Amino acid sequence: MKGFFKSSIGKKLIMSVTGLFLILFLLFHMSMNLVAVFSGDAYNAVCEFLGTNWYALMGTAILAVGVIFHFIYAFILNFQNRKARGTERYLNQNLPKGVEWASKNMLILGIIVIVGLGVHLCQFWANMMFAELRGVEDFSAYGATGAADGAAFIKFFFKEWWVVAVYIVWLVALWFHLGHGFWSAFQTIGWNNSKWIPRLKCLANVFSSIIFIGFLVVVIVCHFQA
């Protein structure tokens, strides 16, 4: 078993499982953020409910581990592929043209996603959950009444056009990354027959588009509401 997870197949399996876990989190996070479009009070109630409760902290820790493992193994596999094939990037000739570019640039897309995640964490997590853990009480610089005043933080950051632009670039990269990563994760764990792959590719396009549009609506609407 130990040798299996050191193999190329084992590493791809770890990437697939962690990737699917992160996809589920994105769906939850997008659904939660959409609440802010309709009601700032309702969104703040969600933030208050999560806060620094033990289950929220445990979920954050698990999520962090999942992100770390996913991207570490992505770099390892990419390095191994480049070492084995020289400068030629991974290419599956059976991929439709719509996802071929994404499949060849998953590492670059992943880097953009992780950089965007870093920006997002610095703006929101650091000023909300982490600030609450540190005992910060004054949030007036952000126009917020407390760490759980998520609606105020959204208005504060998304009022700047350059922040909106950064998030759009991030979301486009995430869209391409999910579009390929979603169905290829299922392919890795065994759903790779001719019957399921076309269905999974269609589902991947639909799902990645829902995630993209959902987050984009939050960014654009909250920018004009700020």
Side-chain angles (χ1 to χ4, degrees), residues 21 57-67:
F21 166 71
L57 294 174
M58 182 177 293
T60 301
I62 294 173
L63 177 64
V65 171
V67 170

Side-chain angles (χ1 to χ4, degrees), residues 21-36:
F21 166 71
L22 295 174
I23 284 172
L24 290 176
F25 170 76
L26 283 172
L27 183 60
F28 164 76
H29 194 50
M30 180 208 68
S31 301
M32 183 185 79
N33 284 359
L34 279 173
V35 175

Side-chain angles (χ1 to χ4, degrees), residues 75-88:
F75 277 99
I76 292 174
L77 286 170
N78 186 266
F79 176 77
Q80 289 178 342
N81 285 336
R82 286 180 176 274
K83 185 177 180 181
R85 304 180 185 187
T87 58
E88 180 182 355

